[in-house]
């Protein structure tokens, strides 16, 4: 493109050299290429992305509702507005969620989240934040940013209130600058259903990594991207109004099963904020794999992270049937009676021997 020539100038220049017929064909072709329907290269390697509409959501928010035919389901206090979906309003003790109804069987993917957190609360008087999920279970309300505890899958948290730091201040203690976290704070957690999210410590014991993200009450758009490629989890953010991705979390060796659900949720307690989702866009990423990588990247059935020991889940024992319970009680009684009879016989023999020794 010539220096100082913008996109409109390019069209004018081309228009002088194209016939009306050829110009119409060229315009149609460019519109088709720019419509987002086809693949787009997203990296230096052979990586292409395809928008998956069944896992994506944008204005005017068609397919959102509570019916079984909707692609996205609302829960709790979540509401559909004209410009966004509000998970929770700036009111105390609210929780809401938005869940995709279609399980995702993609091998490599990227989720782009356009969100906004804002409210009337001043510094450190707002909360609690929102979470983005890729989990086995959906529509399960609970204490972890509005979702269930001991979830199975991946959780990415945009935490806006420093619970642990406030407790440290109350006890007149403070972390060293090397380990102290500045809020709002983004963190990630992989769970196989055996771990609890420690809300009082803002998830510190189980986090894979994190970074500070000043996202409240901004006058420009804020974005978060979660990329999962070749067992590599990368989380980046665009929160500075520069339209540039900035690294936040990068973890290799993350093993996530296929067939889980995407969702987002939020929770307020004594403190509150508006937690809004403007869009969720999921892209399928196609990447080349060597034969060795194909063997290494086989499907897994339980989330895990290499070099990170997660407690193993123990399957609960199946409930006893009525017949089994009857047999257990019956044989227990028989054994008890048998033990009592044997005890009486032995006691009588002991008494007889005692009398003989006496005489």
């Amino acid at each position: 493109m010539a220096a100082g020539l913008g996109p409109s100038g390019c069209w004018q220049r081309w228009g002088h050299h194209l016939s009306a017929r050829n110009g119409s064909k060229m315009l149609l072709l460019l519109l088709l290429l720019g419509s987002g329907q086809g693949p787009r290269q997203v990296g230096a390697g052979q990586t292409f992305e395809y928008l998956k509409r069944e896992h994506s959501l944008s204005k005017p928010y068609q397919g959102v509702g509570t019916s079984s035919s909707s692609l996205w389901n609302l829960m709790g206090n979540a509401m559909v507005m004209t410009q966004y979906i509000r998970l929770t309003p700036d009111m105390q003790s609210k929780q809401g969620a938005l869940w995709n109804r279609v399980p995702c069987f993609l091998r490599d993917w990227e989720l782009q989240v356009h969100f906004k957190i804002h409210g009337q609360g001043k510094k450190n008087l707002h909360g609690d934040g929102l979470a983005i999920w890729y989990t086995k279970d959906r529509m399960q309300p609970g204490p972890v940013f509005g979702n269930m505890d001991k979830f199975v899958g991946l959780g990415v948290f945009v935490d806006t209130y420093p619970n642990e730091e406030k407790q440290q201040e109350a006890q007149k203690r403070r972390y060293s600058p090397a380990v102290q976290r500045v809020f709002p704070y983004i963190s990630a957690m992989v769970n196989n259903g055996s771990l609890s999210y420690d809300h009082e410590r803002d998830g510190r014991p189980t986090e894979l990594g994190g970074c500070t993200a000043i996202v409240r009450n901004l006058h420009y758009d804020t974005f978060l991207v979660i990329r999962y490629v070749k067992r590599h989890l990368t989380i980046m953010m665009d929160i500075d109004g520069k339209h540039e991705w900035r690294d936040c979390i990068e973890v290799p060796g993350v093993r996530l099963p296929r067939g889980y659900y995407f969702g987002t949720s939020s929770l307020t307690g004594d403190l509150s904020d508006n937690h809004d989702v403007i869009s969720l866009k999921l892209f399928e990423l196609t990447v080349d794999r060597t034969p060795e990588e194909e063997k290494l990247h086989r499907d897994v059935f339980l989330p895990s992270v290499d070099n990170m020991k997660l407690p193993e889940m123990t399957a609960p024992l199946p409930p006893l049937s009525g017949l089994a319970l009857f047999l257990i009680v019956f044989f227990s009684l028989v054994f008890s009676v048998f033990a009592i009879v044997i005890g009486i016989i032995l006691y009588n023999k002991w008494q007889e021997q005692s009398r003989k020794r006496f005489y």
Side-chain angles (χ1 to χ4, degrees):
M1 185 179 295
L5 189 61
S8 60
C10 284
W11 280 112
Q12 293 173 2
R13 185 177 177 182
W14 287 357
H16 291 305
H17 295 86
L18 294 175
S19 65
R21 182 177 180 182
N22 290 338
S24 299
K25 289 183 178 180
M26 181 63 70
L27 178 60
L28 178 60
L29 177 61
L30 290 173
L31 288 174
L32 289 174
L33 290 176
S35 63
Q37 302 292 334
R40 184 169 68 90
Q41 193 167 359
V42 293
Q46 296 299 315
T47 303
F48 292 86
E49 67 178 19
Y50 301 82
L51 178 65
K52 308 301 290 184
R53 297 190 180 280
E54 66 272 24
H55 302 297
S56 300
L57 178 68
S58 59
K59 293 181 284 190
Y61 306 119
Q62 296 177 349
V64 180
T66 57
S67 66
S68 58
S69 60
S70 302
L71 288 177
W72 293 85
N73 295 140
L74 297 175
M75 186 177 67
N77 301 113
M79 299 180 295
V80 179
M81 314 297 281
T82 56
Q83 300 297 319
Y84 50 82
I85 293 179
R86 177 151 292 171
L87 299 177
T88 57
D90 191 359
M91 300 173 63
Q92 294 179 339
S93 303
K94 302 294 182 181
Q95 70 175 42
L98 173 70
W99 283 95
N100 191 202
R101 193 175 59 86
V102 182
C104 177
F105 290 94
L106 302 181
R107 196 175 188 181
D108 305 285
W109 47 264
E110 178 180 291
L111 179 66
Q112 297 180 8
V113 184
H114 183 187
F115 68 98
K116 186 176 182 64
I117 301 176
H118 57 106
Q120 299 297 320
K122 303 301 180 182
K123 183 179 180 181
N124 291 335
L125 291 176
H126 49 262
D128 285 330
L130 60 84
I132 300 103
W133 304 97
Y134 175 70
T135 55
K136 180 180 179 180
D137 302 297
R138 61 187 292 272
M139 304 289 286
Q140 300 294 324
V144 185
F145 295 91
N147 191 39
M148 63 182 291
D149 195 10
K150 294 189 175 182
F151 59 90
V152 179
L154 169 69
V156 177
F157 312 115
V158 183
D159 194 346
T160 57
Y161 184 77
N163 292 283
E164 186 177 25
E165 274 69 13
K166 287 299 181 183
Q167 293 177 10
Q168 295 283 328
E169 289 179 7
Q171 298 171 7
K172 297 184 178 180
R173 295 187 299 172
R174 186 178 293 273
Y175 280 110
S176 65
V179 296
Q180 186 175 5
R181 298 180 296 183
V182 178
F183 282 71
Y185 188 82
I186 296 176
S187 64
M189 175 182 175
V190 169
N191 198 352
N192 63 2
S194 64
L195 300 175
S196 287
Y197 178 84
D198 191 341
H199 183 71
E200 297 302 317
R201 299 192 62 193
D202 303 305
R204 185 189 286 267
T206 53
E207 75 169 32
L208 298 178
C211 67
T212 297
I214 308 302
V215 295
R216 286 193 72 251
N217 289 340
L218 300 179
H219 299 293
Y220 44 82
D221 294 332
T222 50
F223 298 87
L224 181 72
V225 63
I226 306 169
R227 182 179 295 166
Y228 181 66
V229 180
K230 291 185 176 182
R231 305 250 190 262
H232 204 101
L233 178 67
T234 304
I235 298 174
M236 298 180 291
M237 54 187 178
D238 175 10
I239 60 173
D240 301 318
K242 298 179 180 179
H243 304 290
E244 296 177 354
W245 292 119
R246 181 152 55 92
D247 292 338
C248 179
I249 303 172
E250 189 169 355
V251 186
V254 176
R255 301 172 182 267
L256 298 175
R258 292 197 272 184
Y260 283 10
Y261 297 92
F262 286 105
T264 179
S265 65
S266 179
L267 178 74
T268 66
D270 294 334
L271 302 176
S272 62
D273 253 339
N274 296 305
H275 298 94
D276 302 336
V277 173
I278 293 92
S279 69
L280 294 162
K281 295 182 180 180
L282 185 76
F283 296 90
E284 179 182 11
L285 303 181
T286 59
V287 297
D288 293 332
R289 281 182 168 83
T290 64
E292 291 75 15
E293 288 175 331
E294 288 289 350
K295 293 179 182 179
L296 292 173
H297 298 170
R298 292 176 179 173
D299 286 348
V300 296
F301 301 97
L302 202 62
S304 64
V305 181
D306 293 350
N307 303 320
M308 179 178 176
K309 182 64 175 177
L310 296 179
E312 296 183 358
M313 290 291 293
T314 55
L317 296 175
L320 296 174
S321 64
L323 178 60
L325 185 62
F326 169 77
L327 292 175
I328 290 174
V329 173
F330 175 76
F331 284 110
S332 298
L333 291 174
V334 170
F335 177 79
S336 300
V337 172
F338 180 75
I340 292 173
V341 171
I342 295 298
I344 293 174
I345 293 174
L346 293 175
Y347 178 75
N348 290 333
K349 286 185 178 183
W350 177 78
Q351 280 189 330
E352 291 178 2
Q353 292 177 355
S354 298
R355 291 194 196 99
K356 289 179 181 179
R357 286 197 299 268
F358 182 74
Y359 289 110

